[in-house]
Amino acid sequence: NYQLGFVYKPAKNGSVYISYSTASTPPSVSGGDQEAITDAMGNLKPEKSKTLELGTKWNLLDERLNVTAAIFQNDRRDAQIEVDPGVFAQAGETRVRGLELGLSGEITPKWNVYGGYTYMDSELVRGAYNGVNEGDPLANTPKHSFSLWTTYKLLPPLTVGAGAYYVGKTFGGNQGGAGGGASAVYMPAYWRFDAMAAYQVNKSVALQLNALNLTDKNYYARTNGVHHADFGPGRQIILSANLRY
């Protein structure tokens, strides 16, 4: 496997880059997201993927704020699929094309912000011999996802923060690993909200309170085939102490 990239700086505070890379992974998914290896599949080669990305990075507000943008395409080949009844071959192919936007840094000396948005257009390019779900979105690959987190220093020792996370409609796996199978099983989109407060007691001791999933939202974090899924964690309140020696 290898990676090749080029970076060009059109200005002191910005850069544009392009990169190409390959990767090999164990053969554990059949053209999508169905994890199953049987004796009938015989000796398997690693699945291969290649990624092409074009992006840009800029430092703004006297380098206090960093913004990024990138478009990418990922192709995975040699996925194990059933090419005829009871006959398996590493001929499966999937593709994901997408866009990533991000920002991080200081709006003011007391106010920090971090966020990102990702768009993914995924597709099962070649699946099982019967063509089920070919052309459909891949399992556990939401088209839209978004996050925004911000912190503000109310007092020299006290910082508070809050964040929002969004994950769009996501299809289940199995039956070609895309499109939720013949019944188009999917997980609905959801929002999740978190908050925190941190207090620096002294140079050695800091306390932090985290509240995760504030609204106790019921949501699914991941599908497993088309018959069941994993719930995301419910509301959690975590108090921690950090000691520095």
Side-chain angles (χ1 to χ4, degrees):
N1 297 303
Y2 57 89
Q3 180 176 3
L4 179 66
F6 296 95
V7 179
Y8 173 69
K9 292 184 67 66
K12 183 178 180 180
N13 64 325
S15 61
V16 178
Y17 68 90
I18 185 170
S19 69
Y20 177 82
S21 62
T22 65
S24 300
T25 57
S28 60
V29 290
S30 55
D33 195 59
Q34 182 182 8
E35 298 184 1
I37 298 179
T38 66
D39 291 338
M41 294 180 180
N43 295 322
L44 305 178
K45 301 180 297 182
E47 296 176 3
K48 299 177 181 178
S49 65
K50 57 183 180 181
T51 302
L52 179 65
E53 181 173 327
L54 173 65
T56 184
K57 302 179 181 180
W58 292 85
N59 294 318
L60 308 176
L61 302 179
D62 295 327
E63 299 191 352
R64 298 196 315 270
L65 184 67
N66 177 265
V67 295
T68 63
I71 55 175
F72 62 89
Q73 176 171 311
N74 175 270
D75 292 283
R76 183 165 62 86
R77 301 176 183 271
D78 296 330
Q80 190 75 12
I81 59 173
E82 194 173 8
V83 293
D84 285 304
V87 179
F88 294 86
Q90 289 186 258
E93 182 180 351
T94 67
R95 175 176 297 150
V96 180
R97 292 170 172 160
L99 165 71
E100 290 182 321
L101 304 175
L103 62 88
S104 64
E106 298 181 348
I107 302 299
T108 71
K110 294 183 179 181
W111 182 17
N112 289 353
V113 63
Y114 313 89
Y117 166 77
T118 302
Y119 170 82
M120 291 188 292
D121 181 17
S122 63
E123 178 185 0
L124 177 63
V125 178
R126 185 179 180 191
Y129 66 95
N130 54 11
V132 62
N133 295 119
E134 280 192 354
D136 286 347
L138 300 178
N140 293 302
T141 310
K143 181 167 286 188
H144 304 280
S145 57
F146 165 83
S147 67
L148 181 63
W149 180 261
T150 184
T151 62
Y152 191 83
K153 188 179 289 293
L154 290 176
L155 300 169
L158 178 62
T159 299
V160 295
Y165 305 87
Y166 172 80
V167 177
K169 175 182 176 180
T170 307
F171 286 98
N174 211 335
Q175 299 191 44
S183 301
V185 174
Y186 68 92
M187 300 185 301
Y190 68 87
W191 283 91
R192 196 193 84 214
F193 302 95
D194 298 345
M196 60 80 68
Y199 189 83
Q200 189 72 40
V201 179
N202 53 46
K203 293 182 179 180
S204 301
V205 180
L207 301 176
Q208 184 161 324
L209 180 69
N210 289 86
L212 309 179
N213 193 1
L214 282 170
T215 62
D216 203 22
K217 172 72 174 179
N218 286 327
Y219 68 94
Y220 300 104
R222 178 181 174 83
T223 64
N224 299 285
V226 295
H227 302 295
H228 62 93
D230 299 326
F231 274 109
R235 183 188 296 121
Q236 300 177 72
I237 307 297
I238 303 171
L239 176 63
S240 59
N242 300 308
L243 307 178
R244 178 179 298 175
Y245 298 97

